[in-house]
Amino acid sequence: MRRQSREIALQILFQTEFTPQLSPSDIAHLYEESVDRETLGYAEELIKGVTDNKTEIDAKIQAASRHWKIERMAGVDRNILRVSVFEMKFAPNPLKENIVIDEAVEIAKKFGTTDSGAFVNGVLDQISKGS
């Protein structure tokens, strides 16, 4: 359930970068008939958390990826990182970092490029070590 929630959150956050006139909740309605309420609810919680903490989340990502400006990262990678950093550092009940990193790498392999898994793993590993 949580994996599907993360994937939905990723897709909605990615989409709203390219269509800012649509709100995340507008896009979330597209999932209502195909996804159970609990799954969609957690996805919405992730989206709200990323949106509410975006400046701080992006600062952590930027600090951990010195050679990559956040705006130059692939959109999929950037949004996977945002969801993951929220779950590790900003969620009301933060998840264990190793679990978040493993999930993020698997999602990156599914939605990103051949390099996305390693890139996401490296950045999240740096963040988990405190940068």
Side-chain angles (χ1 to χ4, degrees), residues 34-54:
S34 61
V35 177
D36 66 82
R37 185 66 221 142
E38 188 179 353
T39 300
L40 191 56
Y42 189 65
E44 290 170 338
E45 188 180 316
L46 293 173
I47 292 163
K48 181 173 178 6
V50 168
T51 305
D52 291 351
N53 297 285
K54 189 174 176 191

Side-chain angles (χ1 to χ4, degrees), residues 12-104:
I12 292 173
L13 289 166
F14 181 84
Q15 185 65 40
T16 56
E17 283 190 353
F18 295 100
T19 53
Q21 67 274 22
L22 291 176
S23 73
S25 60
D26 291 335
I27 300 170
H29 289 303
L30 300 173
Y31 291 91
E32 285 178 348
E33 292 186 22
S34 61
V35 177
D36 66 82
R37 185 66 221 142
E38 188 179 353
T39 300
L40 191 56
Y42 189 65
E44 290 170 338
E45 188 180 316
L46 293 173
I47 292 163
K48 181 173 178 6
V50 168
T51 305
D52 291 351
N53 297 285
K54 189 174 176 191
T55 302
E56 297 90 344
I57 290 170
D58 284 359
K60 285 195 174 295
I61 294 169
Q62 189 62 70
S65 58
R66 291 172 193 83
H67 304 296
W68 283 94
K69 293 216 177 296
I70 195 155
E71 57 274 356
R72 297 215 38 222
M73 292 176 187
V76 169
D77 297 353
R78 178 175 52 246
N79 285 295
I80 291 170
L81 290 169
R82 285 174 173 157
V83 170
S84 301
V85 172
F86 170 74
E87 285 189 300
M88 290 189 325
K89 302 292 185 183
F90 295 92
N93 298 308
L95 300 178
K96 290 184 178 179
E97 293 172 345
N98 63 320
I99 293 169
V100 174
I101 293 170
D102 289 347
E103 280 287 298

